[in-house]
Amino acid sequence: EIPRELKLKLKKICAEHKTTLYILLLTIFSTSLSCILENKKFFIGTPIAGRAWKNFENTIGMFVNDLPI
């Protein structure tokens, strides 16, 4: 769990840059990972909603796609 004071600072940064906490943490993670890895080319997948077509509105089930970033 993120300490309250740190979380407030991160949220302030997000507000200043008009982004979300998820994107900020993803950026921190990917930057850290690129410093650790010798191979600088890598992808991080993030889930996105997968009900893009109207035909699937009444279908039961979880539709999630991975978006490589």
Side-chain angles (χ1 to χ4, degrees), residues 8-27:
L8 291 174
K9 288 179 182 179
L10 291 173
K11 284 188 173 187
K12 182 180 177 187
I13 292 170
C14 291
E16 290 171 0
H17 295 279
K18 297 180 182 174
T19 190
T20 63
L21 185 58
Y22 175 76
I23 295 299
L24 178 62
L25 293 175
L26 186 64
T27 302

Side-chain angles (χ1 to χ4, degrees), residues 11-60:
K11 284 188 173 187
K12 182 180 177 187
I13 292 170
C14 291
E16 290 171 0
H17 295 279
K18 297 180 182 174
T19 190
T20 63
L21 185 58
Y22 175 76
I23 295 299
L24 178 62
L25 293 175
L26 186 64
T27 302
I28 293 168
F29 175 70
S30 63
T31 303
S32 300
L33 196 58
S34 72
C35 290
I36 294 169
L37 296 176
E38 290 181 16
N39 184 354
K40 299 294 182 185
K41 295 182 180 181
F42 63 92
F43 292 96
I44 297 176
T46 185
I48 59 171
R51 293 186 186 256
W53 296 290
K54 194 163 181 74
N55 300 2
F56 291 119
E57 281 184 358
N58 295 322
T59 304
I60 297 173

